[in-house]
C-alpha cells in the first residue's frame, strides 16, 4: 500500500539517498527513495533531475533543497554561470553548509546535474531573500526559477 504522507524530512546530509548511477547524494529537491516522495515514473531518485513537486515545496515552505529543513539566513543558490548571469536559478535555495557539501560531493561528476541542461562549472551565491517565479505560458523554459534579491556574495 502506498503511503499518503511525504517521507521524513529533514534528513542529515549523510542520510540522503544515493543515486544508483552516480553514487552521489540525492538532494531533497530531486526526490527521495520513499515510494510516495520519489519520482512519478517509479524510477530511482537521481541527482540529474529535479522533482517539480519538491521544487515548489521548497519555495512555498522555505525549506532547503538539499536537506529539507527550514531555511534561515543567509541562503545559498547553486547553479551555472549562465544562471548567475540571469539571476535565475533552477535548483531551490539551500543552507550554505548544505550547498557546500553538495558541491564537494559532486566534484568530478560528469554531465548535467540538479536539473541543468548542460554540465558546467558550479557557482554558489548567497543572499538574504529570493523570489519564486513560475513560468508564463509563452516562456520557452517551463521550469520555475528562484531569483535571489539582496545578493550577499560568492563565498
Amino acid at each position: 500500500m502506498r503511503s499518503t504522507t511525504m517521507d521524513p524530512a529533514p534528513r542529515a546530509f549523510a542520510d540522503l539517498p544515493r543515486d544508483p548511477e552516480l553514487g552521489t547524494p540525492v538532494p531533497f529537491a530531486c526526490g527521495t527513495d520513499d515510494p510516495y516522495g520519489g519520482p512519478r515514473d517509479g524510477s530511482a531518485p537521481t541527482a540529474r533531475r529535479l522533482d517539480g513537486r519538491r521544487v515548489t515545496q521548497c519555495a512555498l515552505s522555505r525549506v532547503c533543497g538539499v536537506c529539507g529543513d527550514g531555511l534561515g539566513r543567509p541562503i545559498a543558490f547553486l547553479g551555472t554561470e549562465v544562471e548567475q548571469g540571469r539571476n535565475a536559478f533552477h535548483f531551490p535555495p539551500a543552507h550554505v553548509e548544505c550547498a557546500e557539501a553538495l558541491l564537494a560531493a559532486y566534484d568530478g561528476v560528469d554531465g548535467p546535474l540538479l536539473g541543468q541542461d548542460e554540465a558546467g562549472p558550479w557557482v554558489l551565491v548567497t543572499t538574504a531573500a529570493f523570489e519564486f517565479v513560475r513560468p508564463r505560458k509563452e516562456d520557452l523554459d517551463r521550469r520555475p526559477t528562484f531569483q535571489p534579491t539582496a545578493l550577499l556574495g560568492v563565498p
Side-chain angles (χ1 to χ4, degrees):
M1 178 175 211
R2 198 166 223 206
S3 171
T4 58
T5 60
M6 294 296 250
D7 61 312
R11 288 187 181 188
F13 191 81
D15 295 334
L16 291 173
R18 307 299 283 191
D19 184 303
E21 173 199 359
L22 304 171
T24 58
V26 177
F28 179 77
C30 292
T32 69
D33 53 358
D34 180 89
Y36 180 77
R40 293 180 188 188
D41 63 6
S43 63
T46 177
R48 295 211 185 269
R49 66 177 175 253
L50 295 173
D51 181 327
R53 301 168 298 170
R54 291 298 175 101
V55 170
T56 301
Q57 181 181 2
C58 289
L60 300 181
S61 298
R62 286 191 51 86
V63 297
C64 177
V66 177
C67 73
D69 199 3
L71 289 169
R73 288 184 178 85
I75 300 165
F77 282 96
L78 288 172
T80 64
E81 291 172 347
V82 171
E83 288 179 306
Q84 181 184 21
R86 289 187 321 215
N87 196 44
F89 294 84
H90 290 101
F91 190 78
H95 300 108
V96 173
E97 300 80 20
C98 289
E100 289 172 342
L102 201 61
L103 279 177
Y106 290 176
D107 185 39
V109 177
D110 291 329
L113 297 167
L114 305 177
Q116 299 299 327
D117 294 330
E118 298 178 7
W122 290 100
V123 175
L124 189 149
V125 299
T126 56
T127 183
F130 64 89
E131 295 284 333
F132 181 58
V133 180
R134 297 175 194 248
R136 298 174 306 212
K137 64 181 178 182
E138 63 271 7
D139 290 341
L140 294 177
D141 188 345
R142 301 291 299 159
R143 298 173 293 173
T145 59
F146 295 87
Q147 297 178 0
T149 58
L151 286 178
L152 300 174
V154 179

